[in-house]
């Protein structure tokens, strides 16, 4: 199902070459699965998932040009609406059919509303889940929706999709020998504007995970680095190291580990 362009994020300032430079992508763009995987990984290896502006008490804009300015011009990252939003601008530019879905996070013990945004893209006539913005447990390449019940290895992580009793999709990750729920969703297409209430909740409500916690995640070919509160978890080839730091070290760590500079 292709979604009408008028329902998607719009950004007249989006320049394909500037975006490709930002994500360090210099290859030929291809619309097959391998090509979209390369683009997706180039972004997650270059653009951090981060909530620094939320922690600074700022309003998080869903205006497309503001997102382009933040990620491309200011060399920043963002959370799901921003990092998936700019990837949607890329997909529009290169002509890959896709639409947005509203996703219910399940990583916390308390019930959650559908506050997360992900993308369903049609690649080689198959529907794939694309998500560059679920923090440390994000998928790292498009995930085929038809692979229900299959263990899907993506580098060092193993995922699976199952169907719930409500006929929703449930994404799980294997931690040790156990499956852990990440989020659930259905395939009802959403308009970009539909995420304004969820975005407002995420950046302003005292119960929001993002107002309560500082988090920065940057994936890399061998693993990922996750800054959470006052420590960095570095995962390399499945081996985890936890490194604590003091408050006065934050700016230096953001610059050296995540290439982020606060205004």
């Amino acid at each position: 199902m292709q979604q009408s362009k008028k329902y998607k994020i719009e950004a007249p300032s989006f320049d394909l070459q500037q975006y490709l430079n930002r994500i360090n992508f210099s290859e030929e763009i291809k619309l097959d699965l391998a090509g979209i995987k390369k683009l997706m990984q180039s972004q997650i290896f270059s653009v951090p998932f981060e909530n620094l502006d939320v922690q600074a008490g700022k309003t998080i804009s869903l205006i497309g040009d503001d997102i382009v300015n933040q990620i491309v011009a200011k060399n920043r990252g963002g959370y799901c609406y921003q990092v998936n939003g700019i990837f949607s601008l890329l997909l529009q530019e290169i002509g890959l059919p896709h639409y947005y879905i509203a996703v219910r996070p399940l990583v916390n013990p308390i019930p959650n509303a559908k506050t997360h945004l992900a993308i369903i893209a049609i690649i080689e006539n198959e529907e794939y889940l694309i998500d560059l913005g679920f923090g440390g447990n994000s998928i790292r390449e498009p995930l085929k929706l038809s692979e229900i019940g299959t263990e899907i290895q993506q580098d060092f992580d193993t995922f699976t999709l199952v169907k719930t009793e409500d006929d929703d999709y449930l994404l799980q990750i294997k931690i040790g020998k156990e499956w852990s729920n990440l989020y659930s969703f259905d395939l009802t297409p959403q308009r970009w504007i539909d995420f304004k209430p969820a975005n407002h909740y995420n950046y302003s409500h005292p119960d929001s995970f993002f107002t309560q916690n500082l988090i920065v995640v940057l994936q890399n070919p061998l693993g990922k680095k996750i800054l959470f509160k006052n420590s960095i978890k570095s995962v390399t080839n499945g081996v985890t190291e936890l490194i604590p730091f003091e408050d006065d070290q934050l700016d230096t760590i953001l610059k050296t580990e995540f290439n982020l500079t606060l205004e």
Side-chain angles (χ1 to χ4, degrees):
M1 179 186 296
Q2 169 66 304
Q3 189 177 40
S4 172
K5 187 174 182 179
K6 67 180 180 179
Y7 295 156
K8 293 195 176 79
I9 182 174
E10 297 179 356
S13 65
F14 180 82
D15 180 272
L16 178 59
Q17 191 56 56
Q18 290 177 357
Y19 167 81
L20 295 177
N21 292 342
R22 170 69 177 92
I23 67 169
N24 302 307
F25 188 89
S26 58
E27 302 179 31
E28 178 187 355
I29 293 177
K30 297 182 178 179
L31 299 186
D32 58 11
L33 180 58
I36 301 304
K37 174 184 173 180
K38 286 181 180 179
L39 286 164
M40 181 175 172
Q41 294 196 341
S42 291
Q43 180 174 314
I44 64 174
F45 294 164
S46 305
V47 178
F49 174 92
E50 49 105 335
N51 70 332
L52 295 171
D53 283 351
V54 177
Q55 287 289 297
K58 297 181 179 180
T59 296
I60 306 302
S61 173
L62 291 189
I63 297 172
D65 286 332
D66 291 342
I67 292 173
V68 172
N69 182 58
Q70 171 157 319
I71 292 178
V72 177
K74 294 184 177 180
N75 206 55
R76 287 283 305 280
Y79 58 10
C80 65
Y81 315 111
Q82 295 154 311
V83 293
N84 283 331
I86 202 164
F87 200 74
S88 173
L89 289 170
L90 164 69
L91 297 182
Q92 291 179 62
E93 188 73 18
I94 65 178
L96 191 79
H98 65 287
Y99 61 93
Y100 311 130
I101 55 170
V103 176
R104 190 184 310 280
L106 299 172
V107 294
N108 297 321
I110 61 173
N112 287 293
K114 291 185 175 182
T115 56
H116 181 60
L117 176 152
I119 293 169
I120 302 297
I122 292 81
I123 307 171
E124 298 175 330
N125 298 315
E126 292 271 4
E127 286 190 312
Y128 284 82
L129 173 69
I130 290 180
D131 190 357
L132 301 83
F134 201 67
N137 288 325
S138 280
I139 57 177
R140 289 165 63 96
E141 58 189 77
L143 195 154
K144 188 187 294 187
L145 293 186
S146 63
E147 294 187 333
I148 298 295
T150 303
E151 291 196 13
I152 303 163
Q153 192 72 31
Q154 294 190 354
D155 298 332
F156 45 83
D157 285 328
T158 305
F159 298 93
T160 192
L161 275 177
V162 298
K163 281 296 195 77
T164 70
E165 59 183 15
D166 297 322
D167 205 33
D168 287 343
Y169 291 87
L170 174 63
L171 179 66
Q172 299 178 311
I173 187 171
K174 191 176 242 183
I175 299 177
K177 296 183 179 180
E178 301 294 326
W179 289 104
S180 180
N181 295 336
L182 293 178
Y183 55 67
S184 64
F185 59 92
D186 61 38
L187 301 183
T188 305
Q190 307 293 316
R191 303 183 187 190
W192 179 253
I193 198 172
D194 292 338
F195 293 96
K196 287 185 71 174
N199 178 52
H200 187 267
Y201 170 85
N202 277 330
Y203 77 72
S204 67
H205 198 282
D207 290 343
S208 164
F209 174 86
F210 296 106
T211 61
Q212 295 178 2
N213 304 285
L214 171 63
I215 183 167
V216 184
V217 180
L218 187 60
Q219 309 272 356
N220 62 69
L222 298 179
K224 53 193 169 185
K225 291 183 178 179
I226 304 170
L227 185 156
F228 183 68
K229 297 183 178 178
N230 282 92
S231 66
I232 294 179
K233 182 167 72 172
S234 178
V235 182
T236 304
N237 292 323
V239 178
T240 300
E241 180 183 13
L242 194 64
I243 307 165
F245 63 86
E246 301 298 327
D247 288 344
D248 60 4
Q249 297 176 285
L250 176 61
D251 288 353
T252 299
I253 287 172
L254 290 174
K255 179 62 178 176
T256 57
E257 302 293 336
F258 301 97
N259 194 29
L260 289 172
T261 301
L262 293 177
E263 299 175 355

